[in-house]
Amino acid sequence: IMRVSVSCMHALNLTFTAPSEDESDLDDANPHLQKFLSLMGLERKDLHDTICFYEILIAGRDKQRRNQSKANAEKGMEAFIKSIYNAMFTYLVDTINQRISIQSSKSSEQSASIGILDIFGFESFQTNSLEQLMINYCNEAMQQLFNAVVFKSMKEEYDREGIDSSFISFPDNQDALDAIDNKGTSVLSILNDMSFAPGTNDEKFVSNLYQRMDPKSTRFIANPLHQGKRMFVINHYAGPVEYSTEKWIEKNKDEVPRAMVKLLESSS
């Protein structure tokens, strides 16, 4: 685990050169390169061929190799690092679950478990992007759960016992959750629809977002000033947050090419 973690740290510091506008190469002068290759058990040529080139199918059968630009190689490296970290994190979770689970002798069902709640901090920065929306979405969901468990259940209990519960009031943020993630018309559903549409980009996504979101919503706001900057506001339970849609399509795709998966499988 430590070896893979350190590998990711070295990988974050890798740099690329640009022999031409449409070409890229690993920067051999970077001291992190050899350390990364050694820790991951990879060959320099294999990493170079995977990150600095891509393959396309001609007529559905013939493969042709094309150069990656320096910018695309850097993006590919970021996706590669994320895939390594994701694989390690999944391994850790699966291993921990296997170790702590206790099976009942009378049943195949798990009779004991340990639950870990990761508390997300609400985020509102000068510039907020897709990452902040996902974190704040988790906060909205946790707030809704808190309301349901504490206030709604208390009110129902009072009603069952014939006690006046009219004094119990609490804000319901379900409409905020629906604005962020609801089938059909919500920020994330529109983002997912647009991410895999042919020829899509951030401009087309945000244009579609403005057209499909409810203009009367008090949770999703995009006035002319916001639209001019390709931004929008979500009125969260904790307060309004302004989001920039730059690179959302790219971030939402974040696909790991098969060549990168094969490279990881070849690691010693």
Side-chain angles (χ1 to χ4, degrees), residues 140-141 143-160 165 168-175 177:
E140 287 285 356
Q143 179 69 16
Q144 176 76 347
L145 177 62
F146 178 82
N147 288 344
V149 171
V150 177
F151 295 113
K152 289 182 181 179
S153 60
M154 183 186 297
K155 185 173 174 39
E156 290 171 358
E157 184 177 349
Y158 277 25
D159 291 341
R160 284 195 302 269
S165 63
I168 300 176
S169 63
F170 56 91
D172 187 356
N173 65 331
Q174 184 59 52
D175 54 344
L177 290 170

Side-chain angles (χ1 to χ4, degrees), residues 1 7 15 30 45 50 66 106 168 217 219 222 224 226 244 254 256:
I1 299 301
S7 297
T15 51
N30 189 319
K45 182 181 183 303
T50 301
R66 301 283 179 85
K106 297 181 180 180
I168 300 176
S217 172
R219 293 292 191 173
H226 294 134
S244 167
D254 202 21
V256 180

Side-chain angles (χ1 to χ4, degrees), residues 1-10 39 84-85 88 92:
I1 299 301
M2 290 298 297
R3 184 170 184 159
V4 175
S5 299
V6 173
S7 297
C8 289
M9 294 178 187
H10 282 297
L39 287 167
I84 296 173
Y85 184 83
M88 180 182 68
L92 276 173

